[in-house]
Each structure stands twice: as C-alpha cells, then as structure tokens.
Amino acid sequence: MKRVFLLGHPVSHSVSPAMHNAAFRALGLNWEYEPLETSREKLREACHRLRTDNCAGANVTVPHKQAIMELLDGVSETARTIGAVNTITPRDGKLFGENTDAEGFVAALKENHINPRHARVVILGAGGAARAVAFALAAAGAREIILINRTASHATELADRVHARYPGLRLAINWREAIADANILINATSVGMWPNITDAPLPPEQVVSPHSVVVDLIYNPLQTRFLWDAKRAGAWTINGLGMLVHQGAASFKLWTGRDAPIQVMLDAARKELAK
Ligand code: ATR
C-alpha cells in the first residue's frame, strides 16, 4: 500500500483525507492519505518519513508551507515564485516541492466561466493564499491588482514580489476605494473561517459592486458572512470549495500520474464538511 501524508498543525479538521481517499478508491488504487500532525520542531523528522519506500507524496499546510522549502531537494519555478510549497513528490529518495494553489484557483474561476484577463482585482490578505492567488491572476493577464491587508508591510512585500515578476502590471496597496468598482474581489484572509463565522474581512457598510465577482477562499463554512454580504449587494459569489478540490486534483495528478476524479472529490469534500 502507498501512503500520502498531510503535514501541518492542526490537521485534524482537514477535508483533504476524505477527498483524496475517495479519489484513490474511485480509481482502484490501494493508497491511503493520512494526516500527520507536525510541529515546527518535527518537520525535518517528517521529511525523513517521506523519503521511505511506500510514501508516494505529501501535502503541506499551515503553518509549514514556507518553512518546508529549505528541507526539500528541489522546488518548482511556480513554488519558488509564490514562495510556498503545498505538494511534495518523492523521486528516488529525493523530495520535490510544487505549489498547486494557483492552478487550483484558476481552475475554480474557469469552472465558473470567469476570465480574469484585463480585470481590476482586489485581494484581501497578503499571506500564503493571497500570494498564490496574486501570481495566478498576474499570469492570467489581470490588468490591476490591489492588495488590502491588516499589516501593510506584508502587502508591500507581496506587491514588490509580484512587480519584480510582472513589471507591467498595475499594483496598489490598501486602496479601499477600489473595492467599489472591482471586477473581482477576493477574500484570501482567514477572517470568517470556522469557528469565527460571524466575522467578515470588510465592514457590512462597505460597498461592493453588484457587477463584481466575489470570491472567498474559505470553504468552511461554505457560505461565509463575507459572501452573504456580497450576495445581498447583488454580486456573483464563489466559495472556496472549487479551489480546494482543484488544487487537490492537481496534487493527485502529480502523485499518481492520473487525472483526478473531480466529482468524486467534490462530493467527498461536501460530505465531510456537512458532518
Ligand atoms: P494563509 O496561508 O491561509 O494565507 P497566512 O499566511 O497566515 O495564512 O495569512 C493569513 C492572512 O489573513 C494574512 O493576510 C493576515 O493578515 P496579516 O498579514 O496582517 O497577519 C490575515 N488575517 C488573519 N487574521 C486577521 C484578522 N483578524 N484581521 C485581518 N486580517 C487577518
């Protein structure tokens, strides 16, 4: 039996084991996806475990997506650009890091028939998720990206990183007036995530354009306060489930070499979230 591990802390509430195990079963693979509760101190030890024979891969989640990079034998250009790894594939005892969050995000937009080309995009947040989304949108041809974040220096850091790679892209920081006429508005902060489901990353009086697409990367709950407010304002809303499934599908393909059964993964994730 082959094993895939999820390294993070905490990982007990993760939906990924149910989602990937359902996919392995659907394809008749004798594989098992297991959460591996890993503290910062135990990260190196966990990496040793990934080099063993029956380990076919791993996911990395909060808070290790950045710290893991220096423990790997190589990282993809995408992961290096984003500055975070969420997927590991072992090859001949060596570990390679990839980031499938950006690909997952773009696939989720596409599934909703949203094309970010020439769009004015406002991203709330400047952490790991925001980074993946910012680079995905820059690569997809967004016209302008405005980063709004509690800690301004984190937003500046991310803007500098994106600018270095996409010098022609218009970037701004903490420009709240841009929200009212954004084409796409994205919550990439953790505000509103279970159990703090009454919190929202924007005050309720914030004007959101009824013509905008509003995305929350949070999938637990599926309907965040932020999405409720946006929906009430008349915007088209998208929750984080699509990105979760599509980043998982991209990782699944890296480990198994096979196309992931998207619908099976979506159903399993939904079922797990409803528990
Ligand atoms: P992830 O990998 O999920 O992106 P992260 O890297 O810890 O997690 O980033 C979390 C993001 O949510 C950050 O942008 C953080 O803002 P700071 O840069 O100021 O820390 C934002 N965030 C978290 N809690 C928040 C809160 N209570 N209010 C506003 N922003 C918050």
Side-chain angles (χ1 to χ4, degrees), residues 123-131 147-156 158 188-189:
I123 302 175
L124 309 177
R131 262 211 303 261
L147 300 167
I148 296 179
N149 196 51
R150 175 179 60 181
T151 311
S153 63
H154 294 165
T156 308
L158 174 54
T189 76

Side-chain angles (χ1 to χ4, degrees), residues 72-91:
L72 303 175
D73 300 296
V75 296
S76 72
E77 203 198 325
T78 305
R80 188 170 302 112
T81 303
I82 295 170
V85 160
N86 78 330
T87 303
I88 297 173
T89 42
R91 245 174 275 138

Side-chain angles (χ1 to χ4, degrees), residues 153-166:
S153 63
H154 294 165
T156 308
E157 228 168 84
L158 174 54
D160 288 348
R161 231 182 147 96
V162 177
H163 178 73
R165 181 76 195 258
Y166 297 94

Side-chain angles (χ1 to χ4, degrees), residues 14-268:
S14 173
V15 175
S16 295
M19 189 170 80
H20 283 291
N21 283 326
F24 293 149
R25 281 194 294 276
L27 266 62
L29 295 168
N30 185 22
W31 290 35
E32 189 70 27
Y33 186 105
E34 297 172 33
L36 194 62
E37 201 67 57
T38 313
S39 64
R40 179 67 185 92
E41 298 71 43
K42 291 281 166 68
L43 199 52
R44 189 176 290 275
E45 198 178 309
C47 281
H48 283 307
R49 206 161 161 189
L50 304 186
R51 294 177 202 272
T52 62
D53 283 349
N54 70 345
C55 175
N59 273 143
V60 186
T61 187
V62 177
H64 304 316
K65 285 184 179 185
Q66 280 155 286
I68 194 81
M69 295 179 79
E70 64 187 50
L71 302 174
L72 303 175
D73 300 296
V75 296
S76 72
E77 203 198 325
T78 305
R80 188 170 302 112
T81 303
I82 295 170
V85 160
N86 78 330
T87 303
I88 297 173
T89 42
R91 245 174 275 138
D92 306 324
K94 289 191 160 54
L95 301 178
F96 294 94
E98 180 54 277
N99 190 308
T100 64
D101 284 335
E103 185 180 338
F105 176 72
V106 171
L109 283 188
K110 201 168 172 189
E111 197 172 58
N112 283 276
H113 311 288
I114 310 297
N115 185 351
R117 199 163 170 74
H118 305 309
R120 164 184 272 197
V121 186
V122 175
I123 302 175
L124 309 177
R131 262 211 303 261
V133 163
F135 278 103
L137 290 164
R143 169 172 54 96
E144 189 176 13
I145 296 181
I146 297 105
L147 300 167
I148 296 179
N149 196 51
R150 175 179 60 181
T151 311
S153 63
H154 294 165
T156 308
E157 228 168 84
L158 174 54
D160 288 348
R161 231 182 147 96
V162 177
H163 178 73
R165 181 76 195 258
Y166 297 94
L169 179 67
R170 288 175 63 182
L171 285 154
I173 290 155
N174 283 0
W175 179 27
R176 289 181 173 268
E177 291 73 20
I179 295 172
D181 57 4
N183 302 114
I184 306 176
L185 169 64
I186 302 156
N187 176 35
T189 76
S190 45
V191 182
M193 195 184 286
W194 186 89
N196 303 314
I197 60 170
T198 55
D199 292 351
L202 291 177
E205 66 276 10
Q206 171 69 52
V207 178
V208 171
S209 163
H211 307 295
S212 61
V213 174
V214 177
V215 186
D216 202 328
L217 302 190
I218 293 172
Y219 53 82
N220 188 10
L222 288 171
Q223 187 75 267
T224 55
R225 167 83 191 282
F226 174 65
L227 288 189
W228 272 119
D229 290 344
K231 198 174 232 169
R232 256 210 325 268
W236 175 263
T237 59
I238 300 173
N239 65 34
L241 190 59
M243 178 173 171
L244 171 79
V245 170
H246 286 288
Q247 63 76 31
S251 301
F252 184 95
K253 177 129 198 197
L254 286 173
W255 302 322
T256 65
R258 303 187 46 188
D259 285 336
I262 303 279
Q263 191 60 45
V264 168
M265 292 172 81
L266 185 61
D267 292 345

